[in-house]
Amino acid sequence: MSFNSLGLTKALLKAVDKQGYTSPSPIQQKAIPLILERKDVLASAQTGTGKTAGFTLPMLQILSQGQHLRKRPIRALVLTPTRELAAQVHANVKSYSEFLDIRSTVIFGGVNQRPQVATIRNGVDVLVATPGRLLDLQNQGLLSLSNIEILVLDEADRMLDMGFLRDIKKIISSLPRKRQTLLFSATFSKEIKKLANEFLHHPVLVEATPENTTVDAIEQKVYRVAKDKKTGLIIKLISEGDWKQVLVFTRTKHGANRLCKKMISAGISAAAIHGNKSQGARTKALAGFKNNSIRVLVATDIAARGLDIPLLPHVINFELPNISEDYVHRIGRTGRAGASGEALSLVSADETTYLRDIEKLVGMKIPVDIVEGFEPDPNASTKPIKQGQGGGRNRNNNSRKSSAPKNNSDKSNSSRRPKRNRNRRSN
Ligand code: AMP
């Protein structure tokens, strides 16, 4: 199938061609015609499926064919859970609208709001935003959403995970009722279905599993290891394998920092990316990783969500996630676009329950290996790590409750916006 048959205009086809895409991905094939028909769409797709172009291309076409108002009110709003994803989506909007008379911008927290406000004042057709900053500006009366024709909720499951439900509802309540709503989510939980029932109008369901990110396309392996030997083992694997681009997941931001320091001491260039890092530091780390000046990027789940890092050969779970679905998200970052990928997990005794849950979810037993000198501790307890003792979100998403242990979230800016941010992870 070619892009020509999807009903896209010449200007968009030219932009697609410039990106070097030869054929639409499954999610694009399904979603683009439906969105062009002005249907509400509920799409199941995760990062790596080409979902961003799947909603951006038809959105731009609708906007460019619609009425241009002189003042350029915001006509399309894309909400994303994280700053990185917002920046990435906006970069896509920019590239795809290169040959159209469409203006766009992106807003997110952690940076000065003044330039963002100035750009919006000059008039933009498309606004990409994280919920927190959007509400801030809205509350200050600095932007109006009363002309929104299209709303996109990107990675809606993650936005709910991060405690944005109330913010999202508030934002949606300020939008015109007559609009097109597109909801993209990697998983369809009860909460997502509820959100869709509430805010989408007779949605059409589209599903696409990423071609090369299905669990069985990725080589998975578990290394059973004593907890205190994990650092030594990961350094050995990366050094001896001479791996150049490795994404490592830890459960906490403190864990990410610690591991990063030890990597650097061992002579492996590394950077950590998590909610406590400034936007500048995160962008720099990601850029370094992409251009190969940094070999290892150590990330928490929240920070890694939505990162567009193509062709990643190695993903290592330094610690298993306590939410099994996060494992699938994590390993989905390898083996993309036809490249071979390897997902390794370092598992200590106290992670045995997590491993069992993950194997249940992915429907297979993950092969186990033990490296000489890094054997598991036969006397270690298999009792799961308690939440708050280095754990991340728990299974009930209790991280949103104010009783959640302090060290288990990726929150930021809590001192600046105490009320709304107190219970939430960073955006
Ligand atoms: P996404 O799932 O939107 O994060 O996209 C994942 C990656 O696939 C991005 O690097 C896109 O630029 C790329 N991409 C999107 N659509 C296509 C396509 N039709 N063919 C090849 N690559 C694509």
Short mmCIF file of all heavy atoms in Angstrom, two decimals, residues 165 169 189-199:
data_model
loop_
_atom_site.label_atom_id
_atom_site.label_comp_id
_atom_site.label_asym_id
_atom_site.label_seq_id
_atom_site.Cartn_x
_atom_site.Cartn_y
_atom_site.Cartn_z
N LEU A 165 -5.82 12.48 35.15
CA LEU A 165 -7.24 12.34 34.80
C LEU A 165 -8.03 13.62 35.08
O LEU A 165 -8.77 14.10 34.24
CB LEU A 165 -7.86 11.14 35.52
CG LEU A 165 -9.33 10.89 35.18
CD1 LEU A 165 -9.51 10.59 33.70
CD2 LEU A 165 -9.90 9.74 36.00
N LYS A 169 -9.86 16.02 32.35
CA LYS A 169 -11.30 16.30 32.37
C LYS A 169 -11.57 17.80 32.40
O LYS A 169 -12.47 18.29 31.73
CB LYS A 169 -11.94 15.63 33.59
CG LYS A 169 -12.10 14.13 33.42
CD LYS A 169 -12.92 13.56 34.54
CE LYS A 169 -13.28 12.12 34.22
NZ LYS A 169 -14.05 11.48 35.29
N SER A 189 -7.33 -0.14 29.28
CA SER A 189 -7.78 -0.52 30.62
C SER A 189 -9.23 -0.07 30.78
O SER A 189 -9.78 0.62 29.93
CB SER A 189 -6.91 0.19 31.65
OG SER A 189 -7.08 1.59 31.50
N LYS A 190 -9.81 -0.47 31.92
CA LYS A 190 -11.18 -0.04 32.23
C LYS A 190 -11.26 1.48 32.24
O LYS A 190 -12.20 2.07 31.74
CB LYS A 190 -11.56 -0.57 33.63
CG LYS A 190 -12.50 -1.74 33.57
CD LYS A 190 -13.36 -1.95 34.80
CE LYS A 190 -12.74 -1.67 36.14
NZ LYS A 190 -12.76 -2.65 37.14
N GLU A 191 -10.23 2.10 32.80
CA GLU A 191 -10.24 3.57 32.92
C GLU A 191 -10.20 4.24 31.55
O GLU A 191 -10.85 5.25 31.33
CB GLU A 191 -9.03 4.06 33.74
CG GLU A 191 -9.10 3.78 35.21
CD GLU A 191 -8.76 2.34 35.56
OE1 GLU A 191 -8.15 1.64 34.71
OE2 GLU A 191 -9.12 1.89 36.66
N ILE A 192 -9.43 3.64 30.63
CA ILE A 192 -9.34 4.22 29.28
C ILE A 192 -10.70 4.10 28.59
O ILE A 192 -11.19 5.04 27.95
CB ILE A 192 -8.25 3.51 28.45
CG1 ILE A 192 -6.86 3.87 28.97
CG2 ILE A 192 -8.36 3.83 26.96
CD1 ILE A 192 -6.43 5.31 28.73
N LYS A 193 -11.32 2.93 28.76
CA LYS A 193 -12.64 2.75 28.14
C LYS A 193 -13.64 3.74 28.70
O LYS A 193 -14.46 4.29 27.97
CB LYS A 193 -13.12 1.31 28.35
CG LYS A 193 -12.38 0.33 27.45
CD LYS A 193 -12.90 -1.07 27.64
CE LYS A 193 -11.99 -2.06 26.94
NZ LYS A 193 -11.92 -3.34 27.66
N LYS A 194 -13.54 3.98 30.00
CA LYS A 194 -14.45 4.93 30.65
C LYS A 194 -14.22 6.34 30.08
O LYS A 194 -15.17 7.05 29.76
CB LYS A 194 -14.18 4.93 32.17
CG LYS A 194 -15.44 5.08 32.98
CD LYS A 194 -15.17 4.85 34.44
CE LYS A 194 -15.79 5.98 35.24
NZ LYS A 194 -15.15 6.18 36.54
N LEU A 195 -12.96 6.69 29.95
CA LEU A 195 -12.62 8.01 29.41
C LEU A 195 -13.17 8.15 27.98
O LEU A 195 -13.75 9.17 27.61
CB LEU A 195 -11.09 8.16 29.39
CG LEU A 195 -10.52 9.52 29.10
CD1 LEU A 195 -10.75 10.45 30.28
CD2 LEU A 195 -9.01 9.43 28.84
N ALA A 196 -13.00 7.08 27.21
CA ALA A 196 -13.47 7.10 25.82
C ALA A 196 -14.99 7.22 25.78
O ALA A 196 -15.55 7.97 24.99
CB ALA A 196 -13.01 5.84 25.10
N ASN A 197 -15.67 6.46 26.66
CA ASN A 197 -17.14 6.53 26.68
C ASN A 197 -17.62 7.91 27.01
O ASN A 197 -18.63 8.38 26.49
CB ASN A 197 -17.70 5.58 27.77
CG ASN A 197 -17.78 4.17 27.22
OD1 ASN A 197 -17.83 3.98 26.01
ND2 ASN A 197 -17.76 3.20 28.12
N GLU A 198 -16.87 8.57 27.89
CA GLU A 198 -17.30 9.88 28.34
C GLU A 198 -17.06 10.97 27.29
O GLU A 198 -17.86 11.85 27.11
CB GLU A 198 -16.54 10.23 29.63
CG GLU A 198 -17.31 11.14 30.56
CD GLU A 198 -16.57 11.29 31.89
OE1 GLU A 198 -15.90 10.32 32.34
OE2 GLU A 198 -16.63 12.37 32.44
N PHE A 199 -15.93 10.86 26.60
CA PHE A 199 -15.53 12.01 25.77
C PHE A 199 -15.48 11.77 24.27
O PHE A 199 -15.27 12.70 23.51
CB PHE A 199 -14.17 12.53 26.25
CG PHE A 199 -14.22 13.07 27.65
CD1 PHE A 199 -13.51 12.46 28.68
CD2 PHE A 199 -14.99 14.18 27.95
CE1 PHE A 199 -13.57 12.94 29.97
CE2 PHE A 199 -15.06 14.67 29.25
CZ PHE A 199 -14.35 14.05 30.26
#
